[in-house]
Amino acid sequence: MAKNLLIVESPAKAKTIEGYLGKDFMVKSSYGHIRDLVKTDDAIDTSNNFTQRYEVPAEKKAVVSELKKLAKAADTVWLASDEDREGEAISWHLYETLGLDDEKTKRIVFHEITKPAILRAIETPRGIDFNLVNAQQARRVLDRLVGFELSPVLWKKVKPSLSAGRVQSVAVRLIVDREREINRFTAEAAFKIVAIFHTGNAKELFKAELPKRFVEAAEAERFLADCIPADFVINSLETKPSKRSPAAPFTTSTLQQEASRKLGFSVARTMAVAQRLYEAGHISYMRTDSVNLSDTALQGAEQEIRSAYGDTYHKRRQYRTKSAGAQEAHEAIRPTYFDQHTLGGDNAERRLYELIWKRAIASQMSEAEFEKTTAKIGVSTRQEELVANGEVMRFDGFLKVYFESTDDEHEPNLDNDTDNALLPPLTAGQQVHLNRMSATERFSRPPARYTEASLVKKLEELGIGRPSTYAPTISTIQNRGYVVKESRDGKPRDYRVLELVGGTISSQTKTETTGAEKAKLFPTDIGVVVNDFLVEHFNGIVDFNFTAKVEKEFDEIAQGMKEWTAMLHSFYGPFHQEVETTTKHADRATNERELGEEPGTGKRVSVRIGRFGPMVQIGSPDDEEKPRYASLRPGQMIETITFEEALDLFKLPKKVGEFEGKEMTVAVGRFGPYIRHNNAFYSLPKELDPLDVTTDSAIEIIKDKRQKDKEKIIRVFEENTDARIENGRWGPFIRFGKQNVKIPKGTSVDNITYEDVVKWAAEDEKKPKKKARGKK
DNA sequence: CAGTGAGCGAGCTTCCGCTTGACTT
């Protein structure tokens, strides 16, 4: 039996460290927290100084009993959980739960997994820091009190099973607020002037822009007209060197953002893939808020840069964290071995690894150097000057390996594609010649909706949530139905373009798509109701600064300057009072709206959340006639639906005639509008409004779908008409009655017999079905 | 892939932060 038992939080870490320490040390993992508050409402006795009841959850029993056994047999137990609030608490819980001895227990910390760091830690053990433990308890108790007192208020005033909490409720609020900003926004149009000049040599073209925009079309046209007889001269020419520096290596949050922008990963996917890379030993720990690199890493990067790119490309850099709540228990995310530029195997793992490698390497490289040239071009008939910008890269530096993207995912600006291009050689006073000029109507843009990753970024800025909870929080607010991640089509919008070519001005109207969204977060009606209720009654909790405020107090507790139960008392008193009065006096939360009266009948048209979701109701239960109901469509919200849109919902489903002796019905389902005929579904083409479907167009769609289905069939089995082989999206498969059967790899489609089909279908049946996703 | 739109009411739901697991498609 080993003389020393060293306990860390992560099993992968344990394996690495064991390699550093040799035979006298056995290194084991606690797999995170081993103890938590009991799951019931009586976990905290608020009338008795917040006494807590802890338990070892069922899934942790095995780990605890193994550690207990090993601890008993060891001479010394080294508690090496992370150096932060949660880590300190884990050490304390281990100490208590394993029944450790003061004499044989040592607490050590390190924030990088390198041999020297760990040996140094072992030489300088300390005791458990109870101030830090108390700060963690205050954090844990406050979160439980907030969550478990607030949620039941929602069950009573809104709907059962809902939830609220210090983190998730603010995340929802951000999304609701943003949606309202977008709804309130009205786009303003203005004309942007862009000119193409040449130097006299027709090949030397360059672009210039007018720094200001014209609100009125007439002003823009006037400008173009003035330019017809004008002379153009380079009034001034300025050349300035400029530099760009690399970004810091990844933290959890920046990794999630870049993987979202560059690879299109959801934050959950990024974390799952990173976890695999970590467990395989390719990268350092992926849940971190630190941008710091260990000396070992700095040396590894330096060596790699010097040998792969040359000495001039290396520049040693230490980064400082910008986020306020950072606890920096780990290193930044970096490759374990910098000489490994890429990985084989799984595509997602390879791409994420390369991203991490490039970012970490680039962070230790030299600046990129540019020369920026600005030419101002005078117009003889006007006061204004046009401006041409050119940029030449003198030294690529870190850009050799990495280019950071930005969050601006708006529609590509058609006129900007030549920005920062090369300018031809120019001199001050030189005359240049107009090739063409355009005035294009451009619109101001509303604030961007959040993606999962940009929401994480915002939460981090506010100091809300931790690296280990960003991804789960994003999932929670979606699982609760407060928020949906969706792509939505945009709407066409006309814009005007005036063009000056060859001395004449022409005008035309073009169309662009605006407001299209891909994988963005939208609030739901229930999200809006819950948010508004919380903002009205518990503004203190959903305030964006609430976490920052309590974090400051947790810090004071950690420094021994404040007593943790005193802090909780001063918070809980007023909070609990608010819960009581709200429960007693507040009205049920609703966002019901009255839209008007139905033409003809005068019946009341209203919209609210019903048992099956948001709906429109015409009439009231007191009327002789029963009220009529219709559900809102995806993308429609109670807050924004118009009277006309609400009435339109009652026009479907609609019978559109007969075909082959059976009725055809147009309706809108979960997957969009469709025609139902003879128990089969036919989706409508995107551009066709379901209200416009006629008998003829419906028949056309049905015939078209049948034809396409026919083309998909590769083989039929003569007399056995219940089976056929079709070409699917992922290659051929067998349709066997209602069952889809996979064709085993390496089987040629031509050799399959009907007996094979029956056999494979039976095998497929036996396999357990995949569980439904999301909430129960 | 529809439309549906209650009212007896037991007992349930819920937080945030640490960690991975054991299953398939």
Side-chain angles (χ1 to χ4, degrees):
Chain A
M1 195 44 87
K3 289 193 199 118
N4 296 283
L5 173 66
L6 192 145
I7 304 174
V8 294
E9 293 180 35
S10 151
K13 222 186 250 182
K15 241 170 76 185
T16 313
I17 294 172
E18 199 154 43
Y20 295 149
L21 288 180
K23 277 221 304 236
D24 282 349
F25 278 82
M26 175 180 262
V27 187
K28 286 286 172 184
S29 156
S30 73
Y31 293 82
H33 274 293
I34 52 148
R35 215 164 62 149
D36 192 16
L37 294 172
V38 296
K39 289 174 184 58
T40 44
D41 285 341
D42 55 358
I44 298 154
D45 188 348
T46 51
S47 57
N48 195 7
N49 241 348
F50 304 97
T51 318
Q52 307 122 85
R53 289 178 53 205
Y54 283 108
E55 69 180 354
V56 178
E59 66 273 17
K60 286 289 163 64
K61 289 250 156 74
V63 180
V64 169
S65 69
E66 198 207 349
L67 289 178
K68 217 181 234 174
K69 213 171 66 194
L70 294 170
K72 220 168 230 154
D75 294 343
T76 307
V77 178
W78 303 80
L79 300 174
S81 47
D82 295 345
E83 187 184 21
D84 59 15
R85 205 160 63 199
E86 299 296 326
E88 203 66 26
I90 288 175
S91 277
W92 175 66
H93 282 303
L94 282 167
Y95 177 83
E96 292 240 310
T97 312
L98 304 182
L100 300 182
D101 241 332
D102 251 344
E103 269 107 79
K104 59 181 248 183
T105 305
K106 288 175 172 159
R107 165 79 172 129
I108 55 167
V109 294
F110 37 82
H111 36 241
E112 53 186 66
I113 310 301
T114 58
K115 193 168 179 175
I118 287 161
L119 294 179
R120 206 179 318 128
I122 285 177
E123 278 162 23
T124 53
R126 58 170 173 83
I128 292 173
D129 179 346
F130 283 94
N131 288 331
L132 208 48
V133 172
N134 287 338
Q136 192 273 347
Q137 300 213 79
R139 199 280 305 157
R140 181 68 190 90
V141 168
L142 181 133
D143 279 338
R144 168 60 68 88
L145 290 172
V146 168
F148 275 41
E149 295 214 5
L150 233 40
S151 298
V153 182
L154 296 180
W155 304 344
K156 191 153 182 231
K157 300 294 181 183
V158 188
K159 199 173 98 165
S161 299
L162 295 175
S163 65
R166 174 177 58 84
V167 173
Q168 59 168 283
S169 297
V170 175
V172 173
R173 183 177 187 180
L174 285 166
I175 291 166
V176 172
D177 281 1
R178 179 59 56 86
E179 194 67 20
R180 288 192 168 134
E181 278 176 55
I182 293 169
N183 288 337
R184 274 199 305 269
F185 182 84
T186 46
E188 282 167 12
F191 285 82
K192 173 180 173 178
I193 306 286
V194 177
I196 308 288
F197 289 101
H198 66 89
T199 56
N201 174 350
K203 275 186 190 164
E204 288 184 339
L205 292 171
F206 65 98
K207 198 190 80 171
E209 274 181 29
L210 193 68
K212 79 169 198 187
R213 296 185 178 199
F214 296 110
V215 174
E216 299 297 333
E219 292 176 280
E221 192 170 357
R222 178 68 199 267
F223 186 85
L224 294 196
D226 286 348
C227 283
I228 296 175
D231 288 328
F232 302 95
V233 174
I234 307 282
N235 281 348
S236 71
L237 194 67
E238 200 180 2
T239 299
K240 265 196 226 159
S242 76
K243 285 183 176 181
R244 205 175 308 160
S245 299
F250 282 132
T251 61
T252 302
S253 139
T254 52
L255 175 68
Q256 289 171 346
Q257 290 160 44
E258 276 288 272
S260 164
R261 290 186 290 240
K262 284 192 165 160
L263 311 180
F265 286 5
S266 69
V267 298
R269 175 140 191 245
T270 297
M271 294 314 283
V273 175
Q275 176 89 28
R276 296 207 297 272
L277 291 172
Y278 167 65
E279 284 172 11
H282 296 309
I283 60 168
S284 62
Y285 196 57
M286 65 281 151
R287 288 186 276 264
T288 177
D289 52 21
S290 169
V291 287
N292 189 57
L293 293 174
S294 67
D295 283 338
T296 320
L298 291 172
Q299 278 166 33
E302 175 169 356
Q303 199 174 4
E304 191 52 37
I305 293 163
R306 287 186 194 277
S307 77
Y309 308 109
D311 293 347
T312 49
Y313 280 90
H314 176 258
K315 180 167 177 182
R316 191 186 175 107
R317 300 166 189 276
Q318 285 283 18
Y319 294 87
R320 286 265 163 71
T321 177
K322 269 182 265 167
S323 49
Q327 309 203 2
E328 311 210 54
H330 306 92
E331 274 190 76
I333 304 172
R334 62 161 176 99
T336 323
Y337 306 105
F338 282 92
D339 54 359
Q340 186 154 23
H341 292 215
T342 183
L343 292 179
D346 183 85
N347 204 27
E349 288 173 27
R350 182 179 54 74
R351 296 210 293 160
L352 193 67
Y353 177 81
E354 279 172 21
L355 200 61
I356 292 167
W357 182 88
K358 286 177 178 175
R359 175 87 163 214
I361 279 279
S363 79
Q364 294 302 311
M365 290 176 75
S366 346
E367 288 93 357
E369 291 168 25
F370 299 89
E371 207 172 77
K372 279 192 172 159
T373 304
T374 305
K376 291 191 174 159
I377 301 159
V379 185
S380 61
T381 53
R382 300 279 298 202
Q383 290 290 313
E384 297 98 329
E385 287 180 317
L386 292 148
V387 177
N389 283 308
E391 192 177 72
V392 180
M393 186 155 58
R394 291 290 176 216
F395 178 63
D396 54 358
F398 76 95
L399 288 177
K400 200 168 193 78
V401 297
Y402 188 82
F403 185 75
E404 190 186 16
S405 58
T406 64
D407 244 329
D408 192 7
E409 294 168 61
H410 285 111
E411 312 137 49
N413 193 333
L414 302 166
D415 311 311
N416 263 347
D417 51 356
T418 52
D419 242 11
N420 294 335
L422 210 59
L423 291 181
L426 298 170
T427 49
Q430 176 185 354
Q431 189 171 4
V432 292
H433 310 280
L434 185 65
N435 182 300
R436 58 199 296 162
M437 186 181 280
S438 65
T440 309
E441 192 177 18
R442 302 277 69 194
F443 299 86
S444 57
R445 293 183 293 219
R449 285 199 178 77
Y450 286 106
T451 62
E452 289 189 350
S454 66
L455 182 61
V456 167
K457 182 181 180 186
K458 183 70 188 177
L459 289 172
E460 189 190 35
E461 282 168 12
L462 294 169
I464 298 173
R466 303 278 312 131
S468 67
T469 60
Y470 294 137
T473 299
I474 301 286
S475 299
T476 299
I477 60 176
Q478 294 179 64
N479 288 339
R480 292 271 176 278
Y482 295 151
V483 163
V484 285
K485 182 167 86 177
E486 275 179 2
S487 299
R488 288 185 189 168
D489 295 330
K491 290 197 183 97
R493 176 171 64 191
D494 287 345
Y495 66 100
R496 286 166 290 173
V497 182
L498 305 172
E499 253 185 316
L500 166 57
V501 183
T504 56
I505 298 171
S506 64
S507 163
Q508 55 179 315
T509 301
K510 292 185 177 177
T511 306
E512 64 186 348
T513 302
T514 176
E517 294 281 28
K518 223 182 135 211
K520 294 286 166 54
L521 299 174
F522 295 80
T524 64
D525 287 299
I526 198 77
V528 168
V529 173
V530 167
N531 176 66
D532 291 357
F533 181 84
L534 292 174
V535 169
E536 183 180 346
H537 298 285
F538 298 97
N539 199 16
I541 306 295
V542 292
D543 189 286
F544 296 119
N545 292 319
F546 176 64
T547 291
K549 210 184 98 205
V550 291
E551 279 290 342
K552 215 178 128 205
E553 298 187 73
F554 296 150
D555 282 347
E556 289 167 16
I557 295 168
Q559 287 157 22
M561 290 154 60
K562 195 168 210 159
E563 215 278 309
W564 72 279
T565 56
M567 182 252 162
L568 283 176
H569 271 299
S570 62
F571 161 75
Y572 185 70
F575 170 69
H576 184 67
Q577 192 52 245
E578 213 40 61
V579 170
E580 298 259 283
T581 55
T582 306
T583 307
K584 210 181 274 175
H585 299 117
D587 291 332
R588 266 196 82 80
T590 172
N591 58 348
E592 178 164 4
R593 283 174 63 214
E594 281 208 36
L595 297 181
E597 290 178 353
E598 188 187 27
T601 66
K603 283 183 180 172
R604 178 171 168 269
V605 179
S606 63
V607 56
R608 67 185 159 93
I609 297 178
R611 198 163 28 138
F612 309 112
M615 62 150 181
V616 183
Q617 176 176 332
I618 300 184
S620 96
D622 307 334
D623 296 349
E624 263 175 60
E625 255 181 287
K626 280 184 81 178
R628 285 135 62 214
Y629 303 94
S631 294
L632 266 58
R633 305 252 177 85
Q636 290 182 327
M637 288 188 71
I638 289 174
E639 192 163 316
T640 49
I641 193 171
T642 63
F643 184 53
E644 289 72 27
E645 287 166 343
L647 290 180
D648 277 350
L649 293 173
F650 290 86
K651 295 182 180 160
L652 293 175
K654 180 174 97 169
K655 295 187 172 71
V656 288
E658 284 194 4
F659 177 53
E660 295 172 342
K662 305 266 185 175
E663 255 176 13
M664 296 181 293
T665 311
V666 177
V668 178
R670 270 198 292 154
F671 312 138
Y674 64 91
I675 300 166
R676 190 167 184 157
H677 174 253
N678 198 14
N679 263 336
F681 296 94
Y682 304 87
S683 345
L684 295 188
K686 220 193 239 168
E687 61 279 3
L688 181 59
D689 188 320
L691 292 176
D692 292 343
V693 176
T694 60
T695 311
D696 288 345
S697 61
I699 293 173
E700 196 59 35
I701 288 162
I702 291 174
K703 282 186 174 163
D704 190 60
K705 166 86 173 355
R706 286 181 182 172
Q707 179 58 35
K708 280 194 181 132
D709 282 351
K710 216 184 227 170
E711 284 163 12
K712 277 197 225 150
I713 299 174
I714 307 174
R715 258 189 72 196
V716 292
F717 292 87
E718 305 278 322
E719 59 271 28
N720 298 304
T721 51
D722 56 343
R724 61 188 194 223
I725 303 176
E726 284 184 22
N727 241 337
R729 243 205 294 177
W730 300 288
F733 70 101
I734 302 161
R735 197 185 286 282
F736 181 55
K738 277 191 173 173
Q739 196 184 342
N740 290 344
V741 180
K742 242 169 63 177
I743 299 173
K745 263 194 191 143
T747 316
S748 158
V749 169
D750 301 326
N751 299 333
I752 298 170
T753 65
Y754 186 72
E755 285 68 39
D756 288 336
V757 174
V758 176
K759 198 179 82 193
W760 294 336
E763 282 167 10
D764 268 15
E765 277 284 82
K766 263 188 264 165
K767 289 177 190 165
K769 293 259 157 23
K770 195 182 171 182
K771 270 188 292 177
R773 274 168 49 102
K775 217 185 146 194
K776 288 149 278 187

